[in-house]
Amino acid sequence: MLHNTITPIHKRLEDYRRLFEIARDLASTLDLDQLLERIVAAATDITEAEAASILLYDNTSRQLYFQAATNIEQPTMRGLVVPLEGSIAGWMVRNRKPVRISDAHQDPRHFDDVEQITHLKTQSLLGIPLIAKDKVVGVLEVINKRLREFSDTDEDLLLVLGAQAAIAIENTRLFQQSDLISEFVHELRTPLASLSTATYLLLRPEISKQQHDQIIHNIHSEAMSLNALASSFLDLARLESGRILFRFSPFNLTDLLYECKDVMQVRAQEENIRMLVDAPDNLQQLEADRDKIKQVVLNLLSNSIKYNRPEGSVTLGGRVIDGEMSISVIDTGIGIPAEAMPRLFEKFYRVRESENKADGTGLGLSICKQIVQGHGGRIEVKSKAGHGTIFDVRLPLKPKGIKYDTQKRQTLR
Ligand code: ADP
């Protein structure tokens, strides 16, 4: 086997090459997840460990959450949290010191909930705190050294990788924030301008009672849209930064579709729109974050009513197709012009023709996409201008859990 011919000196050179490559990528990539994936992969190889993970610390909830791991898929990671008190990772955050343990189960700080999900029993563990600008942002851990115990050299190499991960996290966070905030401020300009015009008009003595009432009505509706914009913006910012945890549980999608229909009943009646649910009662259970999936369905359903025509209809579908859950929202509305399709899921994007038809923030579809992708699913749209639109969401029936055992390279479940 090739493995046996690699001498320690060759291995060390190879390790330095990996470190160098990561340092180089750091300057050029802004895709945090991709970079952290590479850092955890390098950490397992360099320290000859079975698995590696990066957990980020959230000061508000005083918990750590998984951001990258060699043995856990994205959707599962979203639901995994580790408390600050009563865990080795939390100890590293609080004490700002590395940890090296040969038998984690003998250590009173060990938190074993995660093992029940990954099915990977932690034996030995080496971890370091990730420090950026003097603040602990998280930890990098490797577990189960093959053959031997973790050494001083392993710790030194992990510290180099950790320093790189910390810079990457800090850079992307700053970048994401500045990008989102400038877009948000831009979106605030129009409603703020119309509010200030409205107050200016109100102060003029010559306006009639009728004009006065109309202006008050406009102020109220602008304030409501600003409110909607602020909540959607916060939702999206949290989703984009990976700080929203998904709580997976099995549930019946058909029930959820009827619930959403009830929520929208009054709105649909106002526009004379018929809503139908097309899903079997005995539909296979879906294991997902119920509240978040409800948010997706309500968003799509609300759009299909807003951008419909009087006497139109909306059908909410739920069925299993090719081992995945399909949720469809089909409307007979104004449709989406072909040239708008590529930009539809962009933040703040709204089709010009529909802007006059209904109020909106242009954030709903971005939120849906983040939630669906966070579940390991996808969202697709088909539409014909003037005829109607179909949104189709596909979700795995359960979160895909474990990637593979790095040694055996095969799927565990
Ligand atoms: P908004 O708050 O503007 O509804 P979304 O992100 O939910 O924001 O949707 C973005 C744009 O996509 C909408 O402004 C609208 O132009 C278009 N759109 C979304 N759903 C539909 C639909 N069912 N029919 C027609 N157009 C739609």
Side-chain angles (χ1 to χ4, degrees), residues 22 26 32 35-36 39-40 54-56 67 128-140 158-174:
I22 288 174
L26 199 64
L32 182 63
L35 197 64
L36 296 187
I39 290 178
V40 287
I54 287 176
L55 290 94
L56 295 189
Q67 186 78 22
I128 54 146
L130 302 176
I131 299 172
K133 293 211 186 118
D134 212 35
K135 270 190 7 210
V136 185
V137 293
V139 299
L140 168 61
L158 205 62
L159 279 167
V160 176
L161 274 175
Q164 294 177 333
I167 298 171
I169 292 161
E170 188 63 21
N171 281 352
T172 2
R173 273 191 182 164
L174 290 175

Side-chain angles (χ1 to χ4, degrees), residues 184-202:
F184 183 55
V185 170
H186 178 77
E187 290 303 314
L188 287 180
R189 292 232 160 91
T190 319
L192 285 177
S194 66
L195 278 177
S196 97
T197 315
T199 46
Y200 168 79
L201 289 174
L202 270 187

Side-chain angles (χ1 to χ4, degrees), residues 232 299-308 329 331 333-337 340 343-355 358-368 381 383 388-391:
S232 300
N299 251 319
L300 297 178
L301 187 55
S302 147
N303 281 348
S304 69
I305 296 169
K306 281 198 305 195
Y307 306 113
N308 217 309
V329 182
D331 69 54
I334 57 175
I336 300 165
R343 300 195 54 198
L344 210 58
F345 291 90
E346 278 176 24
K347 283 191 279 282
F348 300 113
Y349 179 75
R350 305 194 68 206
V351 178
R352 185 143 357 110
E353 290 82 356
S354 56
E355 266 176 325
D359 283 342
T361 59
L363 291 176
L365 289 179
S366 309
I367 293 174
C368 291
V381 53
S383 184
T389 305
I390 302 176
F391 278 92

Side-chain angles (χ1 to χ4, degrees), residues 369-381:
K369 189 170 161 195
Q370 284 282 335
I371 295 176
V372 170
Q373 289 186 341
H375 277 78
R378 59 191 189 281
I379 176 164
E380 276 161 19
V381 53

Side-chain angles (χ1 to χ4, degrees), residues 181-225:
I181 287 170
S182 57
E183 279 180 274
F184 183 55
V185 170
H186 178 77
E187 290 303 314
L188 287 180
R189 292 232 160 91
T190 319
L192 285 177
S194 66
L195 278 177
S196 97
T197 315
T199 46
Y200 168 79
L201 289 174
L202 270 187
L203 289 171
R204 300 188 67 100
E206 71 271 20
I207 58 163
S208 66
K209 167 88 175 71
Q210 198 187 2
Q211 284 170 321
H212 176 275
D213 290 353
Q214 180 59 45
I215 296 169
I216 299 279
H217 177 80
N218 291 351
I219 291 179
H220 178 71
S221 87
E222 287 295 350
M224 299 279 281
S225 344

